[in-house]
Amino acid sequence: VFVFSHPSHNLTLGNQANYERMIKMAQNYYQKEIETMPIEEMKKLQSEKLVKQVKHVYENVPYYKNLMDEKGVKPDDIKSIDDIHKLPFLTKADLRDAYPYGLLAKPLDDCVRIQSTSGTTGRRVVAFYTQNDVDLWEDCCARAIVAAGGTKKDVCQVAYGYGLFTGGPGLNGGSHKVGCLTLPMSSGNTERQIQFMTDLSATILCCTPSYAAYIAETLKEQGYKPEDISLKAGIFGAEPWTEEMRRGIEESLGIKAYDIYGLTETTGPGVSFECSEQTGMHVNEDHFYAEIIDPDTGEVLPEGSKGELVFTSLDKEAFPLLRYRTRDICVLSRKKCSCGRTLIKMAKPMGRTDDMLIIRGVNVFPSQIETVLLNEGYQPNYQIIVDRVNNNDTFEVNVEMSPEQFTDKVSDVLKMEKVLANAMKIMLGINPTVHLVAPKTIARSEGKAVRVIDKRNLI
Ligand code: DLL
């Protein structure tokens, strides 16, 4: 057993050589010229692409033409990327209005694929891709895999869902492009995941962070130690996760865990990805131009401000979105990165303009609860239940005890619940009712975890 010194913590690892190889490989690039392009050159490239893209949608998508005409903007008004603020925003409501073909910018004959959101409310979002769109998307995912140290020597286990969800197909395509041996596992069937992971010596795991934590938990139950498995890196995204959760996953699997971000509307995973510095995700800004706006006024905010993230797809052909409001709250930074990439970085999304809970008038982000749990030594297995009784909000948090924490002594449980509720009060400013529940009683997720049950029907 070796101890590898990480800037923020120590990892206890067995297969040190392999781990170090991947850390070293993480200094590589997939498309160096783009990833390290000087900013002025990148601006020029973005400008050329934007001018072309605006013409393309104005001429081919009546929905866009109407939006632009309403705002009094013509394609000729867009001469460089600095003119982007003149364009109208696009929202999820527009996508629903235009469902299914209203935003299509290429003949259906030229499209080779659709992907779709899980869309539990209203109409689903259906995104279309030409072969070129698929290629560019897979390149973006390949950049992420290479930034995590991936090479053709790696075995990449893709445990995101396959199908309409973009996670599986995106990372699958990226893994092929890098030349990794790809295990297209899809999510679920954890026993089989572990069998393939160990028998075929997977070195990279791609899945949601909550599923990674579950796989780690199951491996531990089966008696595996981090040094018994070959995994060295994980590419985790599709849902919010905290730094504390990252450290937990890194320690329990003996890996370096990288964040990856994306959304169906713009392609899927790979809109941005983390590098060895692990201080935010580089946006693939040759394909996706990022802006931060004030969600109330729509005003573009300067670099470093917190606001709503907006993306423009600069070269997507079939389903190009101009100034699409993601509803993710985020910060952008041009700070120099030690990895050598010049691509702008986005922070981990800090919540959404629409998943922020307002409980008894106070803004609550599920990630704050997760931070408290991890600080207090709990696993991030929890569920927030909000209801309204007699015009008052109720706020309950069910938290799972680990087998080590488990006790059936009522006075001990009450004491532990009080400590947790206090810590949450300090973080949030309001008092939740905390219920500690037995190990393994909160349903595990194979995709995105369901953290919030809001029974109030406030909309
Ligand atoms: O979740 C695409 C994806 C797949 C990303 C696999 C990464 C890995 P959607 O289902 O359309 O697409 O959900 C998009 O998920 O607007 C964010 O709110 C959230 N999200 C995605 N990645 C992250 C992340 C995929 N790394 C929505 N951290 C986005 C926090 C994320 N939230």
mmCIF file of all heavy atoms in Angstrom, residues 112-152:
data_model
loop_
_atom_site.group_PDB
_atom_site.id
_atom_site.type_symbol
_atom_site.label_atom_id
_atom_site.label_comp_id
_atom_site.label_asym_id
_atom_site.label_seq_id
_atom_site.Cartn_x
_atom_site.Cartn_y
_atom_site.Cartn_z
ATOM 1 N N VAL A 112 -29.200 11.963 -38.091
ATOM 2 C CA VAL A 112 -28.944 10.537 -37.896
ATOM 3 C C VAL A 112 -29.316 10.066 -36.495
ATOM 4 O O VAL A 112 -29.262 8.881 -36.203
ATOM 5 C CB VAL A 112 -27.458 10.193 -38.151
ATOM 6 C CG1 VAL A 112 -27.077 10.471 -39.596
ATOM 7 C CG2 VAL A 112 -26.532 10.943 -37.204
ATOM 8 N N ARG A 113 -29.678 10.979 -35.594
ATOM 9 C CA ARG A 113 -29.898 10.578 -34.202
ATOM 10 C C ARG A 113 -30.779 11.582 -33.494
ATOM 11 O O ARG A 113 -30.754 12.771 -33.822
ATOM 12 C CB ARG A 113 -28.528 10.524 -33.507
ATOM 13 C CG ARG A 113 -28.535 10.313 -31.996
ATOM 14 C CD ARG A 113 -28.294 8.887 -31.601
ATOM 15 N NE ARG A 113 -26.952 8.474 -31.916
ATOM 16 C CZ ARG A 113 -25.883 8.698 -31.132
ATOM 17 N NH1 ARG A 113 -26.027 9.267 -29.967
ATOM 18 N NH2 ARG A 113 -24.694 8.315 -31.503
ATOM 19 N N ILE A 114 -31.543 11.104 -32.521
ATOM 20 C CA ILE A 114 -32.135 12.018 -31.531
ATOM 21 C C ILE A 114 -31.667 11.573 -30.152
ATOM 22 O O ILE A 114 -31.285 10.411 -29.952
ATOM 23 C CB ILE A 114 -33.684 12.044 -31.532
ATOM 24 C CG1 ILE A 114 -34.252 10.694 -31.089
ATOM 25 C CG2 ILE A 114 -34.276 12.481 -32.853
ATOM 26 C CD1 ILE A 114 -35.483 10.824 -30.215
ATOM 27 N N GLN A 115 -31.669 12.496 -29.212
ATOM 28 C CA GLN A 115 -31.551 12.177 -27.786
ATOM 29 C C GLN A 115 -32.635 12.992 -27.101
ATOM 30 O O GLN A 115 -33.159 13.953 -27.682
ATOM 31 C CB GLN A 115 -30.186 12.561 -27.217
ATOM 32 C CG GLN A 115 -28.997 11.930 -27.908
ATOM 33 C CD GLN A 115 -28.749 10.459 -27.589
ATOM 34 O OE1 GLN A 115 -28.047 9.784 -28.306
ATOM 35 N NE2 GLN A 115 -29.341 9.933 -26.546
ATOM 36 N N SER A 116 -32.965 12.634 -25.871
ATOM 37 C CA SER A 116 -34.070 13.343 -25.233
ATOM 38 C C SER A 116 -33.876 13.442 -23.729
ATOM 39 O O SER A 116 -33.162 12.643 -23.128
ATOM 40 C CB SER A 116 -35.371 12.611 -25.571
ATOM 41 O OG SER A 116 -36.456 13.248 -24.967
ATOM 42 N N THR A 117 -34.532 14.441 -23.144
ATOM 43 C CA THR A 117 -34.478 14.582 -21.683
ATOM 44 C C THR A 117 -35.472 13.625 -21.046
ATOM 45 O O THR A 117 -36.400 13.142 -21.707
ATOM 46 C CB THR A 117 -34.877 15.998 -21.248
ATOM 47 O OG1 THR A 117 -36.188 16.248 -21.766
ATOM 48 C CG2 THR A 117 -33.911 17.031 -21.771
ATOM 49 N N SER A 118 -35.293 13.422 -19.738
ATOM 50 C CA SER A 118 -36.227 12.527 -19.041
ATOM 51 C C SER A 118 -37.594 13.183 -18.913
ATOM 52 O O SER A 118 -38.595 12.506 -18.764
ATOM 53 C CB SER A 118 -35.670 12.139 -17.679
ATOM 54 O OG SER A 118 -35.179 13.277 -17.035
ATOM 55 N N GLY A 119 -37.642 14.521 -18.964
ATOM 56 C CA GLY A 119 -38.888 15.290 -18.985
ATOM 57 C C GLY A 119 -40.055 14.743 -18.185
ATOM 58 O O GLY A 119 -41.009 14.209 -18.742
ATOM 59 N N THR A 120 -39.993 14.878 -16.862
ATOM 60 C CA THR A 120 -41.081 14.348 -16.054
ATOM 61 C C THR A 120 -42.304 15.255 -16.112
ATOM 62 O O THR A 120 -43.414 14.805 -15.903
ATOM 63 C CB THR A 120 -40.643 14.198 -14.575
ATOM 64 O OG1 THR A 120 -39.872 15.335 -14.238
ATOM 65 C CG2 THR A 120 -39.839 12.946 -14.368
ATOM 66 N N THR A 121 -42.086 16.543 -16.391
ATOM 67 C CA THR A 121 -43.241 17.442 -16.527
ATOM 68 C C THR A 121 -43.259 18.003 -17.946
ATOM 69 O O THR A 121 -42.215 18.224 -18.539
ATOM 70 C CB THR A 121 -43.135 18.624 -15.542
ATOM 71 O OG1 THR A 121 -41.862 19.216 -15.725
ATOM 72 C CG2 THR A 121 -43.322 18.196 -14.107
ATOM 73 N N GLY A 122 -44.428 18.240 -18.444
ATOM 74 C CA GLY A 122 -44.558 18.844 -19.770
ATOM 75 C C GLY A 122 -43.980 17.955 -20.859
ATOM 76 O O GLY A 122 -43.731 16.780 -20.668
ATOM 77 N N ARG A 123 -43.727 18.595 -22.009
ATOM 78 C CA ARG A 123 -43.204 17.827 -23.125
ATOM 79 C C ARG A 123 -41.713 17.600 -22.961
ATOM 80 O O ARG A 123 -41.001 18.431 -22.413
ATOM 81 C CB ARG A 123 -43.423 18.599 -24.412
ATOM 82 C CG ARG A 123 -44.846 18.525 -24.882
ATOM 83 C CD ARG A 123 -45.004 19.516 -26.006
ATOM 84 N NE ARG A 123 -46.253 19.330 -26.697
ATOM 85 C CZ ARG A 123 -46.755 20.251 -27.519
ATOM 86 N NH1 ARG A 123 -46.106 21.369 -27.734
ATOM 87 N NH2 ARG A 123 -47.889 20.025 -28.125
ATOM 88 N N ARG A 124 -41.270 16.482 -23.486
ATOM 89 C CA ARG A 124 -39.838 16.214 -23.489
ATOM 90 C C ARG A 124 -39.132 17.158 -24.436
ATOM 91 O O ARG A 124 -39.729 17.660 -25.378
ATOM 92 C CB ARG A 124 -39.596 14.803 -24.025
ATOM 93 C CG ARG A 124 -39.993 13.722 -23.085
ATOM 94 C CD ARG A 124 -39.938 12.400 -23.815
ATOM 95 N NE ARG A 124 -40.321 11.338 -22.923
ATOM 96 C CZ ARG A 124 -39.493 10.766 -22.051
ATOM 97 N NH1 ARG A 124 -38.249 11.143 -21.982
ATOM 98 N NH2 ARG A 124 -39.906 9.811 -21.259
ATOM 99 N N VAL A 125 -37.827 17.319 -24.208
ATOM 100 C CA VAL A 125 -36.998 18.018 -25.183
ATOM 101 C C VAL A 125 -36.405 16.954 -26.090
ATOM 102 O O VAL A 125 -35.826 15.982 -25.614
ATOM 103 C CB VAL A 125 -35.860 18.788 -24.481
ATOM 104 C CG1 VAL A 125 -34.866 19.312 -25.509
ATOM 105 C CG2 VAL A 125 -36.426 19.912 -23.633
ATOM 106 N N VAL A 126 -36.607 17.116 -27.387
ATOM 107 C CA VAL A 126 -35.983 16.187 -28.333
ATOM 108 C C VAL A 126 -34.933 16.955 -29.124
ATOM 109 O O VAL A 126 -35.238 17.949 -29.774
ATOM 110 C CB VAL A 126 -37.019 15.563 -29.287
ATOM 111 C CG1 VAL A 126 -36.334 14.712 -30.347
ATOM 112 C CG2 VAL A 126 -38.012 14.709 -28.505
ATOM 113 N N ALA A 127 -33.676 16.499 -29.021
ATOM 114 C CA ALA A 127 -32.576 17.162 -29.735
ATOM 115 C C ALA A 127 -32.156 16.286 -30.912
ATOM 116 O O ALA A 127 -32.076 15.060 -30.781
ATOM 117 C CB ALA A 127 -31.397 17.363 -28.796
ATOM 118 N N PHE A 128 -31.900 16.932 -32.051
ATOM 119 C CA PHE A 128 -31.530 16.209 -33.274
ATOM 120 C C PHE A 128 -30.044 16.393 -33.567
ATOM 121 O O PHE A 128 -29.477 17.442 -33.242
ATOM 122 C CB PHE A 128 -32.337 16.737 -34.465
ATOM 123 C CG PHE A 128 -33.815 16.527 -34.308
ATOM 124 C CD1 PHE A 128 -34.593 17.417 -33.568
ATOM 125 C CD2 PHE A 128 -34.433 15.430 -34.895
ATOM 126 C CE1 PHE A 128 -35.963 17.215 -33.416
ATOM 127 C CE2 PHE A 128 -35.804 15.231 -34.750
ATOM 128 C CZ PHE A 128 -36.559 16.129 -34.001
ATOM 129 N N TYR A 129 -29.439 15.391 -34.215
ATOM 130 C CA TYR A 129 -28.014 15.455 -34.552
ATOM 131 C C TYR A 129 -27.793 15.015 -35.987
ATOM 132 O O TYR A 129 -28.348 13.995 -36.419
ATOM 133 C CB TYR A 129 -27.187 14.494 -33.677
ATOM 134 C CG TYR A 129 -27.338 14.684 -32.186
ATOM 135 C CD1 TYR A 129 -28.521 14.339 -31.540
ATOM 136 C CD2 TYR A 129 -26.286 15.171 -31.424
ATOM 137 C CE1 TYR A 129 -28.656 14.511 -30.170
ATOM 138 C CE2 TYR A 129 -26.412 15.326 -30.052
ATOM 139 C CZ TYR A 129 -27.597 14.999 -29.434
ATOM 140 O OH TYR A 129 -27.739 15.156 -28.074
ATOM 141 N N THR A 130 -26.937 15.770 -36.697
ATOM 142 C CA THR A 130 -26.403 15.247 -37.959
ATOM 143 C C THR A 130 -25.178 14.394 -37.589
ATOM 144 O O THR A 130 -24.732 14.419 -36.438
ATOM 145 C CB THR A 130 -25.922 16.393 -38.882
ATOM 146 O OG1 THR A 130 -24.873 17.090 -38.199
ATOM 147 C CG2 THR A 130 -27.044 17.359 -39.224
ATOM 148 N N GLN A 131 -24.615 13.695 -38.564
ATOM 149 C CA GLN A 131 -23.402 12.910 -38.275
ATOM 150 C C GLN A 131 -22.274 13.826 -37.799
ATOM 151 O O GLN A 131 -21.536 13.498 -36.873
ATOM 152 C CB GLN A 131 -22.964 12.123 -39.520
ATOM 153 C CG GLN A 131 -21.769 11.200 -39.267
ATOM 154 C CD GLN A 131 -22.018 10.209 -38.127
ATOM 155 O OE1 GLN A 131 -23.042 9.514 -38.101
ATOM 156 N NE2 GLN A 131 -21.115 10.153 -37.150
ATOM 157 N N ASN A 132 -22.205 15.011 -38.402
ATOM 158 C CA ASN A 132 -21.191 15.981 -37.977
ATOM 159 C C ASN A 132 -21.405 16.412 -36.518
ATOM 160 O O ASN A 132 -20.450 16.531 -35.744
ATOM 161 C CB ASN A 132 -21.255 17.188 -38.923
ATOM 162 C CG ASN A 132 -20.019 18.035 -38.823
ATOM 163 O OD1 ASN A 132 -18.916 17.508 -38.656
ATOM 164 N ND2 ASN A 132 -20.182 19.343 -38.882
ATOM 165 N N ASP A 133 -22.659 16.618 -36.141
ATOM 166 C CA ASP A 133 -22.963 16.982 -34.747
ATOM 167 C C ASP A 133 -22.511 15.884 -33.793
ATOM 168 O O ASP A 133 -21.956 16.155 -32.722
ATOM 169 C CB ASP A 133 -24.483 17.199 -34.558
ATOM 170 C CG ASP A 133 -25.009 18.431 -35.288
ATOM 171 O OD1 ASP A 133 -24.212 19.351 -35.543
ATOM 172 O OD2 ASP A 133 -26.227 18.454 -35.596
ATOM 173 N N VAL A 134 -22.774 14.628 -34.170
ATOM 174 C CA VAL A 134 -22.375 13.500 -33.314
ATOM 175 C C VAL A 134 -20.854 13.495 -33.170
ATOM 176 O O VAL A 134 -20.310 13.331 -32.068
ATOM 177 C CB VAL A 134 -22.881 12.153 -33.885
ATOM 178 C CG1 VAL A 134 -22.314 10.979 -33.085
ATOM 179 C CG2 VAL A 134 -24.412 12.096 -33.872
ATOM 180 N N ASP A 135 -20.149 13.725 -34.291
ATOM 181 C CA ASP A 135 -18.681 13.721 -34.273
ATOM 182 C C ASP A 135 -18.122 14.775 -33.332
ATOM 183 O O ASP A 135 -17.228 14.500 -32.538
ATOM 184 C CB ASP A 135 -18.127 13.997 -35.687
ATOM 185 C CG ASP A 135 -17.984 12.709 -36.474
ATOM 186 O OD1 ASP A 135 -17.938 11.646 -35.839
ATOM 187 O OD2 ASP A 135 -17.929 12.780 -37.717
ATOM 188 N N LEU A 136 -18.670 15.987 -33.449
ATOM 189 C CA LEU A 136 -18.167 17.080 -32.601
ATOM 190 C C LEU A 136 -18.457 16.791 -31.134
ATOM 191 O O LEU A 136 -17.651 17.060 -30.245
ATOM 192 C CB LEU A 136 -18.798 18.416 -33.014
ATOM 193 C CG LEU A 136 -18.477 18.898 -34.425
ATOM 194 C CD1 LEU A 136 -19.063 20.278 -34.672
ATOM 195 C CD2 LEU A 136 -16.963 18.929 -34.662
ATOM 196 N N TRP A 137 -19.614 16.246 -30.868
ATOM 197 C CA TRP A 137 -20.009 15.906 -29.492
ATOM 198 C C TRP A 137 -19.044 14.859 -28.922
ATOM 199 O O TRP A 137 -18.529 15.000 -27.805
ATOM 200 C CB TRP A 137 -21.455 15.404 -29.512
ATOM 201 C CG TRP A 137 -21.985 14.875 -28.217
ATOM 202 C CD1 TRP A 137 -21.577 15.241 -26.961
ATOM 203 C CD2 TRP A 137 -23.016 13.897 -28.044
ATOM 204 N NE1 TRP A 137 -22.309 14.550 -26.019
ATOM 205 C CE2 TRP A 137 -23.189 13.726 -26.665
ATOM 206 C CE3 TRP A 137 -23.824 13.170 -28.929
ATOM 207 C CZ2 TRP A 137 -24.136 12.838 -26.134
ATOM 208 C CZ3 TRP A 137 -24.757 12.301 -28.412
ATOM 209 C CH2 TRP A 137 -24.918 12.130 -27.028
ATOM 210 N N GLU A 138 -18.772 13.842 -29.728
ATOM 211 C CA GLU A 138 -17.869 12.789 -29.252
ATOM 212 C C GLU A 138 -16.451 13.327 -29.037
ATOM 213 O O GLU A 138 -15.745 12.902 -28.119
ATOM 214 C CB GLU A 138 -17.882 11.611 -30.230
ATOM 215 C CG GLU A 138 -19.228 10.897 -30.205
ATOM 216 C CD GLU A 138 -19.334 9.724 -31.177
ATOM 217 O OE1 GLU A 138 -18.422 9.527 -32.001
ATOM 218 O OE2 GLU A 138 -20.348 9.014 -31.105
ATOM 219 N N ASP A 139 -16.039 14.284 -29.888
ATOM 220 C CA ASP A 139 -14.731 14.932 -29.669
ATOM 221 C C ASP A 139 -14.695 15.617 -28.305
ATOM 222 O O ASP A 139 -13.695 15.562 -27.594
ATOM 223 C CB ASP A 139 -14.459 15.997 -30.746
ATOM 224 C CG ASP A 139 -14.026 15.368 -32.070
ATOM 225 O OD1 ASP A 139 -13.629 14.189 -32.069
ATOM 226 O OD2 ASP A 139 -14.090 16.074 -33.104
ATOM 227 N N CYS A 140 -15.806 16.283 -27.973
ATOM 228 C CA CYS A 140 -15.867 16.976 -26.673
ATOM 229 C C CYS A 140 -15.695 15.973 -25.533
ATOM 230 O O CYS A 140 -14.986 16.240 -24.559
ATOM 231 C CB CYS A 140 -17.212 17.697 -26.510
ATOM 232 S SG CYS A 140 -17.396 19.111 -27.611
ATOM 233 N N CYS A 141 -16.346 14.821 -25.646
ATOM 234 C CA CYS A 141 -16.229 13.798 -24.594
ATOM 235 C C CYS A 141 -14.818 13.210 -24.586
ATOM 236 O O CYS A 141 -14.284 12.886 -23.521
ATOM 237 C CB CYS A 141 -17.284 12.707 -24.786
ATOM 238 S SG CYS A 141 -18.936 13.310 -24.456
ATOM 239 N N ALA A 142 -14.226 13.086 -25.775
ATOM 240 C CA ALA A 142 -12.852 12.563 -25.850
ATOM 241 C C ALA A 142 -11.895 13.532 -25.149
ATOM 242 O O ALA A 142 -10.976 13.108 -24.444
ATOM 243 C CB ALA A 142 -12.446 12.373 -27.308
ATOM 244 N N ARG A 143 -12.128 14.839 -25.309
ATOM 245 C CA ARG A 143 -11.275 15.812 -24.604
ATOM 246 C C ARG A 143 -11.346 15.568 -23.098
ATOM 247 O O ARG A 143 -10.341 15.655 -22.396
ATOM 248 C CB ARG A 143 -11.735 17.249 -24.904
ATOM 249 C CG ARG A 143 -11.442 17.713 -26.314
ATOM 250 C CD ARG A 143 -11.921 19.153 -26.521
ATOM 251 N NE ARG A 143 -11.955 19.512 -27.926
ATOM 252 C CZ ARG A 143 -12.437 20.655 -28.399
ATOM 253 N NH1 ARG A 143 -12.933 21.554 -27.564
ATOM 254 N NH2 ARG A 143 -12.439 20.909 -29.693
ATOM 255 N N ALA A 144 -12.553 15.286 -22.617
ATOM 256 C CA ALA A 144 -12.733 15.057 -21.172
ATOM 257 C C ALA A 144 -11.988 13.799 -20.720
ATOM 258 O O ALA A 144 -11.353 13.781 -19.661
ATOM 259 C CB ALA A 144 -14.220 14.938 -20.853
ATOM 260 N N ILE A 145 -12.052 12.758 -21.519
ATOM 261 C CA ILE A 145 -11.407 11.492 -21.141
ATOM 262 C C ILE A 145 -9.884 11.658 -21.136
ATOM 263 O O ILE A 145 -9.191 11.205 -20.210
ATOM 264 C CB ILE A 145 -11.868 10.345 -22.086
ATOM 265 C CG1 ILE A 145 -13.362 10.060 -21.851
ATOM 266 C CG2 ILE A 145 -11.039 9.077 -21.867
ATOM 267 C CD1 ILE A 145 -13.997 9.115 -22.861
ATOM 268 N N VAL A 146 -9.366 12.346 -22.144
ATOM 269 C CA VAL A 146 -7.909 12.570 -22.203
ATOM 270 C C VAL A 146 -7.472 13.467 -21.031
ATOM 271 O O VAL A 146 -6.432 13.231 -20.416
ATOM 272 C CB VAL A 146 -7.496 13.152 -23.572
ATOM 273 C CG1 VAL A 146 -6.040 13.580 -23.573
ATOM 274 C CG2 VAL A 146 -7.739 12.116 -24.671
ATOM 275 N N ALA A 147 -8.289 14.466 -20.690
ATOM 276 C CA ALA A 147 -7.946 15.345 -19.560
ATOM 277 C C ALA A 147 -7.917 14.576 -18.241
ATOM 278 O O ALA A 147 -7.270 14.977 -17.286
ATOM 279 C CB ALA A 147 -8.932 16.499 -19.471
ATOM 280 N N ALA A 148 -8.626 13.433 -18.205
ATOM 281 C CA ALA A 148 -8.618 12.600 -17.003
ATOM 282 C C ALA A 148 -7.504 11.552 -17.073
ATOM 283 O O ALA A 148 -7.430 10.662 -16.224
ATOM 284 C CB ALA A 148 -9.982 11.920 -16.845
ATOM 285 N N GLY A 149 -6.666 11.635 -18.087
ATOM 286 C CA GLY A 149 -5.538 10.712 -18.193
ATOM 287 C C GLY A 149 -5.794 9.538 -19.117
ATOM 288 O O GLY A 149 -4.966 8.627 -19.217
ATOM 289 N N GLY A 150 -6.937 9.530 -19.797
ATOM 290 C CA GLY A 150 -7.286 8.396 -20.655
ATOM 291 C C GLY A 150 -6.426 8.308 -21.911
ATOM 292 O O GLY A 150 -6.108 9.328 -22.525
ATOM 293 N N THR A 151 -6.066 7.082 -22.279
ATOM 294 C CA THR A 151 -5.342 6.821 -23.539
ATOM 295 C C THR A 151 -5.908 5.522 -24.117
ATOM 296 O O THR A 151 -6.766 4.895 -23.499
ATOM 297 C CB THR A 151 -3.832 6.584 -23.318
ATOM 298 O OG1 THR A 151 -3.683 5.350 -22.612
ATOM 299 C CG2 THR A 151 -3.178 7.708 -22.524
ATOM 300 N N LYS A 152 -5.343 5.099 -25.256
ATOM 301 C CA LYS A 152 -5.841 3.855 -25.846
ATOM 302 C C LYS A 152 -5.498 2.621 -24.994
ATOM 303 O O LYS A 152 -6.022 1.541 -25.214
ATOM 304 C CB LYS A 152 -5.353 3.699 -27.293
ATOM 305 C CG LYS A 152 -3.855 3.500 -27.447
ATOM 306 C CD LYS A 152 -3.432 3.670 -28.894
ATOM 307 C CE LYS A 152 -3.977 2.588 -29.802
ATOM 308 N NZ LYS A 152 -3.349 1.302 -29.653
#
